[in-house]
Amino acid sequence: MNAQRVIKKVAVLGSGVMGSRIACHFANIGVQVLLLDIVPKDAPAGDKKARNKIVNDALEFALKSNPSPIYLKSFAKRISTGNFEDDMPKIAECDWTIEVVVERLDIKQVVFESVEKFRKPGTLITSNTSGIPIHLMAEGRSEDFRKNFCGSHFFNPPRYLKLLEIIPTKDTSPDVVSFLLEFGEKFLGKTTVLAKDTPAFIGNRIGVFSIMSLLHYVQKTGLTVEEVDKLTGPVIGHPKSATFRTNDVVGLDTMVHVANGLFKNAPDDEANELFEIPDFVNRMLTNNWLGSKTGQGFYKKEKVDGVNQFYALDLKSLDYKPSQKVKFAALETTKTVEKLEDRLKILFASKDKAGDFYRATSFQLFAYSSKRIPEIADELYKIDAAMNAGFGWEMGPFEKWDALGVEDTVKQMEASDNKPAKWVYEMLESGAKSFYTIENGKRMYYDIPSKAYKVIPGTEDFILLKNITATNTVWKNSGSTITDIGDGILNLAFHTKMNTIGGEVIEGINKAIILAEAGYKGLVISNEGANFSAGANVGMIFMMAVEQEFDELNAVIKAFQHTMMRIRYSSIPVVVAPHQMALGGGCEMCLHADKVVAHAELYMGLVEFGVGLIPGGGGTKEFALRLSDELQDGDIEVNNFRERFLTIGQAKVSTSAYEAFEFGYLKKGRDVVVVSQNRLLAEAKRHCLQMAEDGYTQPVQRTDIKVLGKQALGLAYVGANTMYSGNYISEHDVKISQKLGFVLSGGDLSQPSLVSETYLLDLEREAFLSLCTEKKTLERIQSILTGGKVLRN
């Protein structure tokens, strides 16, 4: 990275939906932010509150929105607000100014004229426009301005969608481009894609084409809204919101705005007519059926007799009808197929209307994507990266094409009048049979000019398990894999459904520790599933409890506890690198690690209370231990006990890694946060290796844990009974609370005492098992297993 350029303060000009949330994401990573917007009409001079009303209201609205744009509410203190008239001179203190005002060139030019008056020479200026040509905004500006100016197109919401398109002009300094590409990936956690200054850039050019071609196909074939969303959701690696629900969330007007821009500004596009808005969409616009923002779009929700009823739009009659569940034979056959590549092959080979849909729309997309090179991007991987990061696709067009087999698919595409670009044929003639390959643990893409495979730029420092070949596998079973990731460090990954923890994962953890202790320096536990772990396999616990196999269940829980303690007391450092959900047993694994290297998007919690249990894999014990370590002057503080008790009792789940510190799941001064998920494993390995090289010493089991006994137990009982009296919790919740309080307080001890971890684990396991005998606990577990709903009985 450019050693001369450091980003300490950023100015964001425009506080609308995007501007306020971009400001929040910079605050997330520790940057000071100046957020400015216009002065309301008739706001008197000198009245700061009145003159900053627009920006302050916008920021307040953003901070209250769900999901939150900020990792931790206190981070909002890093944002200061102001207005264009009074506070524009303050941008002289900023290293980067980002324009996010309304999408009108004339207004943007006025803003940039003001920016040029005050900015410090050499500082960055970028625009978040989604469609206005970047070079037009730089016209008339100084040489220094143009050299440091480009587009920086964030996707909404900026915290959660990973795509950041960097769009330079012919005057933009190459140093600025390389800096932004690296800064966006490394510090903002983005997939940064270098795009050309073409209509809608990369993500929206391909994404809106995909949507518009689908809309025209639907108009021609009569597929329903529900059918399309069933076909275009998780089954093909797309988000749950699929097509029409996504449109409702984003806003139909937004999609139409981009499509109209492409229809007008890309007249030479061979598929230009597909950007013309279908009749039914125009009628929806006339009716102001824009989606969530207007209360109805392709779907709407109404209360009927106090119950929510969901309706879907009939695209022919434009009447709303009760939403229907739909089934396709092709989709039914893929229900047990885990790998997306395998599912795609089955779906595309299907002879029903699902197969017809996939072939028609995807072949059109494949051909279109191939023909956009080199118009919108010189390299094919940029199109896949933009679609994956900006639209939440698991696989981009070229990746799906690879999965189906390039050569065979080309033949099918020709038969359906979707002939791809000439370079695809030249690639096949050269002997290259795929768009991607993996060599030496690095993913390579087919480079068209050189007709050779090259490493994807910017990924050299990543360690991605999917790229490490089978020769690096040290051991595996049906649910876990141990991989040598180099420099004497092993990685354990588990790959069960939802990465739940059952016997195969427990075996994997123990085997990984045995192997690491025998001949390696350390162990990292990480995986590349959608979630780190949804917790223990409650289905197994339920079956054993229903069959009253309590001796066997006791052995299973004891083995789980023992495994967590092996993580804590192994002779080598164990680093856990969680991402997304780390619940129940997944959280307990982190609690027992030597260090946690967490992705910033971490939803961590001990959630067992929701199924009528308490944490039984050492989680309750660990909270008692941490409570003891928080003692001041030898006394257990009531507030500390209450805080720990409520964290488990309310099944609190963090909304970010930073909130996990607040809840006590992560330890300040020990655990670290990584914003870029692609760097998570490499960073975890680095910390593990550092601990080993610093002379890791095997810890000794604790026998000095101070518990309060009856004093804390009484507090737990009184609190639970008070909540019950106020109708806040059920009678069964009281019973679970009492069990939890019993373990956290160290049992029915007459006075504060020092106890061992083994003592607390025994209490924890006994409480867990006794709750498994309760009918209401089994009802709660069954509710989660059958309907995914928490039952409060």
Side-chain angles (χ1 to χ4, degrees), residues 138-324:
E139 286 182 355
R141 303 272 64 87
S142 68
E143 182 184 353
D144 184 80
F145 185 106
R146 287 184 281 111
K147 187 172 72 172
N148 290 283
F149 175 76
C150 68
S152 59
H153 182 213
F154 289 83
F155 270 55
N156 188 31
R159 170 182 166 181
Y160 298 97
L161 279 184
K162 293 182 179 180
L163 181 58
L164 172 59
E165 293 176 315
I166 302 299
I167 313 105
T169 70
K170 63 181 178 61
D171 298 318
T172 308
S173 165
D175 288 343
V176 166
V177 176
S178 60
F179 172 83
L180 288 172
L181 288 171
E182 186 176 357
F183 184 92
E185 186 278 318
K186 195 171 185 178
F187 297 102
L188 289 169
K190 299 298 176 189
T191 296
T192 50
V193 176
L194 180 62
K196 294 187 178 184
D197 194 4
T198 54
F201 314 129
I202 297 176
N204 280 336
R205 181 69 172 272
I206 302 297
V208 172
F209 169 83
S210 176
I211 294 168
M212 293 302 296
S213 65
L214 187 152
L215 291 179
H216 285 285
Y217 181 85
V218 166
Q219 190 174 39
K220 183 172 65 176
T221 60
L223 280 172
T224 68
V225 165
E226 300 100 317
E227 285 176 326
V228 171
D229 275 358
K230 184 75 172 179
L231 291 168
T232 57
V235 69
I236 58 166
H238 289 195
K240 284 183 180 179
S241 54
T243 299
F244 290 118
R245 287 191 191 281
T246 297
N247 259 291
D248 278 356
V249 171
V250 173
L252 187 65
D253 53 337
T254 302
M255 188 274 291
V256 168
H257 172 74
V258 178
N260 281 333
L262 284 165
F263 184 68
K264 176 184 175 183
N265 298 318
D268 298 329
D269 188 315
E270 78 283 352
N272 180 266
E273 74 280 357
L274 287 177
F275 292 114
E276 196 165 3
I277 308 302
D279 291 341
F280 71 87
V281 175
N282 280 322
R283 289 167 65 191
M284 290 175 69
L285 290 171
T286 301
N287 293 341
N288 202 37
W289 295 349
L290 307 181
S292 302
K293 66 176 79 174
T294 59
Q296 63 191 91
F298 291 105
Y299 295 94
K300 75 172 180 176
K301 179 175 69 174
E302 285 183 355
K303 272 203 184 311
V304 178
D305 298 328
V307 178
N308 283 330
Q309 295 288 343
F310 296 91
Y311 299 88
L313 188 66
D314 183 313
L315 299 179
K316 288 184 178 177
S317 67
L318 287 195
D319 294 325
Y320 284 97
K321 298 178 179 179
S323 186
Q324 302 293 315

Side-chain angles (χ1 to χ4, degrees), residues 432-723:
K433 300 301 180 187
S434 64
F435 299 113
Y436 297 95
T437 188
I438 293 171
E439 293 180 17
N440 300 319
K442 299 298 178 186
R443 195 174 189 220
M444 321 274 283
Y445 73 97
Y446 178 77
D447 180 61
I448 296 165
S450 66
K451 296 186 179 180
Y453 289 102
K454 293 184 177 180
V455 175
I456 297 173
T459 66
E460 296 86 356
D461 296 333
F462 301 167
I463 301 176
L464 301 176
L465 295 173
K466 62 185 177 184
N467 295 343
I468 298 175
T469 59
T471 54
N472 294 83
T473 299
V474 176
W475 179 92
K476 68 185 299 183
N477 65 11
S478 61
S480 56
T481 301
I482 301 170
T483 305
D484 185 342
I485 56 174
D487 301 312
I489 304 297
L490 291 178
N491 182 84
L492 169 73
F494 25 94
H495 34 80
T496 54
K497 188 172 183 179
M498 293 290 287
N499 278 334
T500 52
I501 303 166
E504 63 274 67
V505 173
I506 294 297
E507 181 188 18
I509 295 171
N510 283 290
K511 183 67 175 180
I513 292 172
I514 290 168
L515 289 171
E517 287 179 330
Y520 293 85
K521 295 178 181 178
L523 171 67
V524 174
I525 301 177
S526 78
N527 63 66
E528 292 172 357
N531 295 287
F532 176 72
S533 176
N537 185 341
V538 291
M540 177 188 67
I541 294 170
F542 178 75
M543 291 304 297
M544 295 178 83
V546 166
E547 297 295 329
Q548 297 187 6
E549 296 172 346
F550 294 115
D551 288 342
E552 291 87 342
L553 185 54
N554 179 61
V556 167
I557 302 307
K558 195 167 187 176
F560 194 111
Q561 291 179 332
H562 172 77
T563 302
M564 295 304 103
M565 293 290 277
R566 285 284 284 132
I567 290 173
R568 166 64 53 82
Y569 294 111
S570 64
S571 62
I572 41 91
V574 179
V575 174
V576 179
H579 65 282
Q580 294 293 320
M581 288 198 300
L583 305 177
C587 178
E588 287 172 314
M589 203 176 295
C590 297
L591 292 176
H592 289 85
D594 291 299
K595 183 183 280 286
V596 177
V597 177
H599 184 231
E601 294 300 337
L602 181 64
Y603 313 114
M604 176 180 270
L606 295 169
V607 295
E608 288 82 355
F609 207 99
V611 291
L613 298 167
I614 68 167
T620 311
K621 175 273 301 180
E622 187 62 20
F623 260 40
L625 186 154
R626 293 187 181 193
L627 181 62
S628 173
D629 290 344
E630 290 168 1
L631 303 189
Q632 295 180 2
D633 302 321
D635 295 321
I636 291 182
E637 295 183 357
V638 169
N639 285 342
N640 287 33
F641 180 86
R642 182 185 291 114
E643 202 66 35
R644 294 287 184 183
F645 179 83
L646 290 176
T647 296
I648 298 178
Q650 294 177 347
K652 291 182 181 179
V653 176
S654 69
T655 58
S656 72
Y658 292 98
E659 193 171 43
F661 284 105
E662 303 287 303
F663 290 162
Y665 297 134
L666 297 182
K667 275 188 176 181
K668 291 176 181 177
R670 183 197 75 166
D671 300 331
V672 296
V673 179
V674 177
V675 180
S676 171
Q677 191 170 342
N678 283 330
R679 294 179 179 267
L680 188 62
L681 180 50
E683 193 67 9
K685 175 188 170 182
R686 185 179 70 80
H687 281 279
C688 191
L689 195 58
Q690 189 65 55
M691 293 171 73
E693 291 175 350
D694 286 346
Y696 181 80
T697 304
Q698 183 172 3
V700 178
Q701 283 200 30
R702 297 281 297 275
T703 57
D704 60 344
I705 304 165
K706 188 170 185 178
V707 292
L708 196 58
K710 284 185 176 179
Q711 183 180 337
L713 189 56
L715 181 70
Y717 275 50
V718 169
N721 288 324
T722 301
M723 293 287 282

